[in-house]
Amino acid sequence: GFLAGRGQVAQREVLDAAGVAAALAAFARDGIDLVALNSGDGTVQAALTTLFNQRPFGDAPPLLALLSGGTTNMTHRDLGLRGSQIAALERLIAWADHGAGRAALLTRPVLRVRGPAAELPLYGMFFGAACIYSGIELFHSRVRGLGLRGGPAQLVILGRLLAALAAGQTAVLKPAAAEIRVDGARLPPRRFMFITVHTLDGLIFGLRPFWGEGRGALRLTAISARPRRFLQVLPSLLRGRRTRHTRPENGYFSFNGDQIRLALDGGFALDGERFRADPRHGELILEVGGQATFLRV
C-alpha cells in the first residue's frame, strides 16, 4: 500500500524460492542495483542462494537492504534497517532518490553449505543444528499456532530451550551425533546439544554465544550433550565470555575457521529453513562462498 503511489519503485511479491529467483532475474534485466527485502531470514537465504548460484547480476551483485518483515529476523537485526518497515522504507527511498541521510555499507562473508543431498550449494548467514533445529520445529508445531511471531515467539522458544537445557530434557533438545573438523583439526565424535556456524556479529536479543579466536570468517560454537557446570557458565556463554570452565574437556567448543566439515546425523537449519543430513551419504562442508554488501540508512 505504501508503494502504490510510487511507480518508480519496482516491486514483486514472492511466495517461495522460485518466486525469489524470478524477481531477482527481472530486477537484473531492468538494471536495478539496490534490492530491498521485506521478509524474514528464509527469504534472505533464498535470495543469497539465487545470487550466488544463478548469478542473475553477473559480477556486480546489487546492494541489499533488509526490512524486518518475517517471523524471524536475526539477519535483519545484525545487518538490516532499523525501525518500522514503513519508516525504514521511507529513509531508503529518500537516500536512493536524493542521497538524503547517512548511509553505511556492511560487507559480510556469506556462508556456503555443500552436501551430498543438495544439487546446488546453499547460501546464508546462520547454520544451526541440535537444539537450534528442534527450536525451529517447536515454533512450527506449537508456537506459530498461537499467533506469536518476531521477538515474542523467539522469547517463548528461547525460554523453553533454556528450561530444557537446565533440566536435561533430551526429548526437547534432541541432541545430534556429529563429528566436526575445523580447518583440518578434528573434534572427537560425540553428541551435541547445540551447534551453530555463522558470519553474524550478534544473534537474537543481541546474544553472542561465541568466544573463539583466530582469523577464520566462520564462527563455530558447539556444546556437548552433557556439558559440565552448564548453569554456572550459561550467563557467560550467552555473552560470549570465556571462563575457566568453558573448555573442550568440559564440553564447550568455540572456533573461528575458514572451512568446517560436519558428519551430522539429523536435521539442520540455514537461516530458519530446514534440511536433513545423513553422515552415511557424506559430510556437510561449510565455507565462505563469497561476500554480500548490505545497505543501512
Side-chain angles (χ1 to χ4, degrees), residues 24 27-28 32-35 51 56-65 292-294:
L24 290 173
F27 292 159
I32 289 171
D33 57 8
L34 169 59
V35 175
L51 290 173
F57 292 83
D59 295 328
L63 293 177
L64 300 176
T293 300
F294 301 85

Side-chain angles (χ1 to χ4, degrees), residues 18-73:
V20 172
L24 290 173
F27 292 159
R29 289 193 298 268
D30 291 340
I32 289 171
D33 57 8
L34 169 59
V35 175
L37 290 90
N38 178 34
S39 70
D41 294 329
T43 302
V44 178
Q45 183 265 324
L48 292 172
T49 297
T50 294
L51 290 173
F52 284 94
N53 277 335
Q54 301 183 20
R55 298 174 59 83
F57 292 83
D59 295 328
L63 293 177
L64 300 176
L66 307 183
L67 308 177
S68 296
T71 301
T72 58
N73 301 293

Side-chain angles (χ1 to χ4, degrees), residues 40-276:
D41 294 329
T43 302
V44 178
Q45 183 265 324
L48 292 172
T49 297
T50 294
L51 290 173
F52 284 94
N53 277 335
Q54 301 183 20
R55 298 174 59 83
F57 292 83
D59 295 328
L63 293 177
L64 300 176
L66 307 183
L67 308 177
S68 296
T71 301
T72 58
N73 301 293
M74 186 156 55
T75 303
H76 303 66
R77 285 186 177 86
D78 192 36
L79 298 166
L81 279 69
R82 307 301 188 194
S84 70
Q85 296 156 284
I86 296 300
L89 194 53
E90 286 178 328
R91 295 197 309 273
L92 182 63
I93 293 173
W95 178 85
D97 285 348
H98 311 294
R102 298 179 60 182
L105 297 179
L106 308 174
T107 300
R108 291 288 175 80
V110 176
L111 175 64
R112 176 171 62 203
V113 181
R114 295 187 286 131
E119 295 182 4
L120 294 172
L122 301 168
Y123 291 81
M125 307 299 289
F126 178 87
F127 171 100
C131 76
I132 302 296
Y133 183 83
S134 66
I136 294 172
E137 287 197 315
L138 177 64
F139 167 78
H140 286 284
S141 64
R142 297 185 183 181
V143 178
R144 190 172 190 173
L146 300 176
L148 297 177
R149 56 184 295 166
Q154 293 166 4
L155 188 61
V156 169
I157 294 169
L158 180 62
R160 182 68 185 95
L161 291 179
L162 289 177
L165 288 170
Q169 296 175 339
T170 56
V172 176
L173 301 175
K174 298 181 181 178
E179 181 178 331
I180 303 175
R181 288 189 287 165
V182 184
D183 293 340
R186 177 177 173 270
L187 277 64
R190 65 180 67 202
R191 291 175 65 78
F192 292 92
M193 69 174 179
F194 181 89
I195 302 174
T196 64
V197 180
H198 61 90
T199 61
L200 300 172
D201 281 346
L203 307 183
I204 59 173
F205 307 118
L207 300 180
R208 298 173 54 84
F210 42 88
W211 60 94
E213 298 176 352
R215 298 183 179 181
L218 305 183
R219 290 172 166 146
L220 163 73
T221 300
I223 302 175
S224 68
R226 295 183 179 276
R228 297 175 181 172
R229 300 179 182 270
F230 178 74
L231 292 180
Q232 183 178 343
V233 304
L234 179 59
S236 297
L237 285 177
L238 296 178
R239 297 193 298 270
R241 295 181 180 177
R242 185 194 303 272
T243 75
R244 62 191 178 94
H245 299 301
T246 52
R247 302 192 302 264
E249 56 265 33
N250 289 336
Y252 304 95
F253 306 87
S254 187
F255 301 95
N256 296 337
D258 291 313
Q259 186 185 77
I260 296 168
R261 290 176 173 261
L262 281 173
L264 175 68
D265 187 6
F268 69 90
L270 184 63
D271 294 344
E273 298 299 303
R274 292 169 289 174
F275 305 91
R276 300 293 301 181

